[in-house]
Amino acid sequence: MKFEKKTVYRAGSIFIVSVVISIAVFLSDRGAGLERNQNGQVVLLREEHGKGNKTEELEAKIGNDCEKIQIDLSEQEYSETEIADVFRDAEQKLEQMILGENTSLDEVRSDLNLFSSIPDTGISMEWDSDRHQVIDSQGTIFQDDLTEDGTLVKLTAKLKYKEQSEKYEFYVRIFPARESKKEKIMRELKEAVQKEEEDTRTEKYLILPDEINGTKITWSHEKNSGTVGILIAGGGAAVMVFVSENQKKKERKEKVKR
């Protein structure tokens, strides 16, 4: 099979260009990501504090031979002076970072965000409360026995980095969760019914309150949803019968006309 010189020329040019590009890419890949210091030495950059370790896959040319080598590189660590500054900076921010939906630690009404680590620092956190029945080490608040006078709790934050650690203590005042008007009435209603039930256990009947703090209460049995369902089903069946009979009448009229 013969090819025109023009076609051979074009194909050859394309092949040569692809070879040149491949060589350039190959050489570029071999040098990609390799940094050098001011003395011209090849260096590997560590991840910043808290970013984690990384693994580099490289080739080392030894004389005329090339060998693949895997290098595990740990993240950059703090010096003793640096970690002291990092701890101090974290302590200054902790009280704001844990607020969650609260606006102040002097009035805590919802769970605190007692996180397990500080992002981008490598610092882990451990928490403790001196009143676990009020708030636990995850920041969960237990509403039992809380009053509107507030309950003072001491929280201890333990900051840890490698083998170094530091404790930071502060106080929070915890109040009952805010209730809507409806939630408040329902809570007080349940409490009133429970108290009346306990006080009249020797009586034949229990008297239900007819008002709570000026709000009138009307009592009735819970609606039976089953009854409603039966009515709906019966109505549907009636409609189907009506439609069916109407269709039969039309069919009979059509037969008479024929």
Side-chain angles (χ1 to χ4, degrees):
M1 182 181 294
K2 293 184 178 180
F3 297 98
E4 293 184 6
K5 289 183 179 180
K6 192 175 183 179
T7 302
V8 173
Y9 175 76
R10 286 180 179 176
S13 299
I14 293 172
F15 176 73
I16 292 171
V17 170
S18 65
V19 169
V20 172
I21 293 174
S22 297
I23 293 172
V25 169
F26 174 74
L27 294 175
S28 175
D29 285 345
R30 293 187 66 184
L34 295 179
E35 302 284 343
R36 293 182 181 273
N37 62 15
Q38 59 186 5
N39 296 323
Q41 298 167 303
V42 175
V43 297
L44 293 181
L45 299 181
R46 298 181 184 276
E47 295 286 6
E48 295 179 359
H49 308 292
K51 297 292 187 180
N53 304 334
K54 69 177 182 179
T55 299
E56 292 280 4
E57 301 279 353
L58 300 176
E59 277 190 359
K61 187 175 182 181
I62 307 169
N64 294 323
D65 299 323
C66 285
E67 296 291 338
K68 292 183 178 179
I69 182 172
Q70 178 177 296
I71 300 174
D72 297 320
L73 199 64
S74 61
E75 67 179 40
Q76 185 179 4
E77 296 185 1
Y78 296 107
S79 67
E80 289 188 10
T81 302
E82 288 174 330
I83 193 58
D85 292 338
V86 172
F87 279 161
R88 187 163 48 252
D89 182 60
E91 289 167 3
Q92 292 174 354
K93 298 176 180 177
L94 275 184
E95 296 184 23
Q96 288 295 316
M97 293 171 70
I98 68 171
L99 281 175
E101 297 179 358
N102 302 285
T103 57
S104 168
L105 293 182
D106 293 326
E107 185 180 349
V108 175
R109 294 183 182 271
S110 63
D111 294 349
L112 293 175
N113 177 28
L114 302 187
F115 43 83
S116 59
S117 63
I118 302 178
D120 301 328
T121 64
I123 296 176
S124 61
M125 302 289 301
E126 292 180 2
W127 294 89
D128 192 24
S129 160
D130 70 342
R131 304 190 69 174
H132 288 277
Q133 73 277 19
V134 176
I135 181 170
D136 64 15
S137 57
Q138 280 74 50
T140 303
I141 293 174
F142 304 100
Q143 297 293 326
D144 299 342
D145 302 325
L146 291 179
T147 69
E148 282 300 333
D149 293 329
T151 302
L152 197 64
V153 178
K154 181 173 75 173
L155 293 180
T156 301
K158 184 177 182 181
L159 294 77
K160 296 179 64 178
Y161 179 79
K162 305 297 182 182
E163 303 302 320
Q164 296 172 288
S165 64
E166 187 169 310
K167 287 186 178 180
Y168 177 64
E169 297 178 346
F170 56 97
Y171 288 86
V172 300
R173 188 174 293 277
I174 300 177
F175 295 82
R178 292 199 183 280
E179 299 175 302
S180 65
K181 183 178 180 181
K182 180 180 178 181
E183 289 171 337
K184 185 173 185 295
I185 291 174
M186 285 302 300
R187 177 178 57 77
E188 293 176 347
L189 178 59
K190 289 177 181 179
E191 291 173 353
V193 171
Q194 182 178 354
K195 184 177 185 307
E196 183 67 16
E197 194 280 329
E198 292 172 353
D199 292 344
T200 61
R201 286 179 180 173
T202 59
E203 306 293 334
K204 288 185 177 181
Y205 53 80
L206 165 68
I207 299 176
L208 296 175
D210 54 11
E211 72 168 19
I212 293 291
N213 288 339
T215 301
K216 185 178 179 180
I217 307 296
T218 302
W219 296 92
S220 64
H221 279 291
E222 185 178 1
K223 294 178 181 179
N224 191 334
S225 58
T227 303
V228 176
I230 292 171
L231 289 173
I232 294 173
V239 171
M240 291 298 295
V241 169
F242 174 78
V243 172
S244 178
E245 287 299 320
N246 192 43
Q247 184 64 30
K248 288 179 181 179
K249 286 182 181 179
K250 288 183 178 180
E251 290 176 354
R252 284 197 293 268
K253 287 182 180 179
E254 291 293 331
K255 287 181 180 180
V256 172
K257 287 182 180 179
R258 293 175 185 172

